């Protein structure tokens, strides 16, 4: 059976304990010369949108993306130890990632609004990175809107892993934007109410499957297998 599984990171695989918003604040401060007046608005947005919004709300011109990406990467790297000390991998995550990683014909990677550098920081802080094929993932620098990341990941799977044809894609995430990205691209979606959005909110966003977390490895594997194609 063939399947591409793409995991969100923040509040799906890990709890970043506020370090993410500190990273955005640090990047903004480095570029603007003063700290932001309010925290970044995240909720499933890509880093391109998050940082654009921060500058717009402060009535400042948006810097060149290359400068923003470099500032974000530096701020994320600086906070690695804080993330490891304060954050955590969420319940069941390590077990389910291990189980998915050894399934024949399945490719397991990430679809995240984080830039690739900070995605790696967050996953490596909890030693989750070896369990994912990060080279075929889709990241915050790859597109402005989250749904467009699905095609990026699919293209990388085709190019780097030689997977041809219409292999099913399933997103696993905790926000209505994850649900939207899946439904608008014909992908499967497993929503998890492990972030700020409740089961009711995710159901209202039309997620057909909503789990409390990723702790039921056997149950999750069964759901994923239902999306797979021979």
């Amino acid at each position: 059976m063939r399947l591409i599984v793409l995991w969100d990171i923040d509040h799906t695989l890990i709890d970043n304990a506020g370090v993410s918003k500190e990273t955005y604040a640090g990047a903004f401060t480095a570029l603007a010369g003063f700290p932001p007046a309010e925290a970044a608005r995240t909720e499933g947005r890509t880093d391109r949108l998050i940082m654009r919004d921060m500058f717009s709300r402060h009535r400042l011109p948006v810097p060149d993306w290359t400068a923003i990406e470099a500032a974000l990467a530096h701020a994320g790297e600086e906070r690695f130890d804080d993330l490891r000390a304060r954050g955590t991998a969420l319940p069941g995550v390590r077990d389910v990632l291990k189980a998915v990683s050894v399934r024949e014909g399945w490719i397991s990677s990430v679809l995240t609004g984080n830039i690739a550098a900070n995605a790696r920081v967050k996953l490596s802080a909890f030693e989750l990175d070896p369990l994912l094929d990060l080279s075929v993932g889709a990241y915050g620098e790859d597109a402005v809107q989250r749904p467009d990341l699905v095609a990026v990941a699919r293209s990388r799977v085709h190019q780097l892993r030689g997977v041809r044809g219409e292999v099913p894609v399933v997103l696993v995430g905790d926000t209505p934007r994850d649900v939207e990205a899946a439904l608008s691209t014909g992908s499967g979606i497993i929503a998890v109410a492990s972030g700020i959005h409740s089961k009711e909110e995710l159901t209202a966003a039309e997620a057909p499957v909503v789990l409390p977390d990723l702790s039921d490895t056997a149950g999750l594997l069964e759901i994923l297998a239902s999306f797979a194609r021979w």
Side-chain angles (χ1 to χ4, degrees), residues 72-95:
L72 280 171
H74 181 70
E77 185 178 2
E78 280 190 322
R79 288 161 178 79
F80 175 84
D81 289 338
D82 285 342
L83 179 62
R84 186 162 55 179
R86 291 160 46 192
T88 186
L90 289 170
V93 163
R94 199 175 309 278
D95 289 340

Side-chain angles (χ1 to χ4, degrees), residues 31-210:
L31 294 165
F34 58 88
E38 57 183 280
R41 298 171 182 171
T42 55
E43 297 183 9
R45 294 178 176 89
T46 65
D47 279 358
R48 286 180 179 268
L49 281 180
I50 292 167
M51 293 301 292
R52 179 191 298 177
D53 177 64
M54 289 185 78
F55 280 91
S56 296
R57 283 187 285 121
H58 286 81
R59 302 185 186 279
L60 294 173
V62 180
D64 179 78
W65 170 249
T66 302
I68 293 176
E69 185 176 7
L72 280 171
H74 181 70
E77 185 178 2
E78 280 190 322
R79 288 161 178 79
F80 175 84
D81 289 338
D82 285 342
L83 179 62
R84 186 162 55 179
R86 291 160 46 192
T88 186
L90 289 170
V93 163
R94 199 175 309 278
D95 289 340
V96 77
L97 289 182
K98 284 180 181 177
V100 172
S101 72
V102 298
R103 291 293 288 258
E104 185 176 356
W106 289 16
I107 292 175
S108 181
S109 190
V110 296
L111 187 146
T112 174
N114 292 284
I115 61 170
N118 287 348
R120 288 180 170 84
V121 164
K122 291 177 178 183
L123 294 167
S124 64
F126 310 107
E127 300 179 347
L128 299 176
D129 49 319
L131 304 175
L132 293 155
D133 189 352
L134 296 180
S135 62
V136 299
Y139 303 92
E141 68 265 36
D142 293 323
V144 174
Q145 301 296 339
R146 197 175 192 93
D148 295 331
L149 295 177
V150 176
V152 172
R154 185 182 284 281
S155 176
R156 285 176 176 157
V157 168
H158 289 177
Q159 292 174 9
L160 299 178
R161 297 294 171 263
V163 175
R164 304 300 175 191
E166 289 300 311
V167 177
V169 173
V170 180
L171 308 188
V172 185
D174 67 289
T175 74
R177 284 188 171 83
D178 294 297
V179 180
E180 177 195 10
L183 297 181
S184 65
T185 59
S187 305
I189 176 68
I190 298 173
V192 284
S194 47
I196 66 171
H197 296 284
S198 67
K199 178 180 179 180
E200 291 73 23
E201 288 177 292
L202 295 168
T203 300
E206 301 186 12
V209 177
V210 183

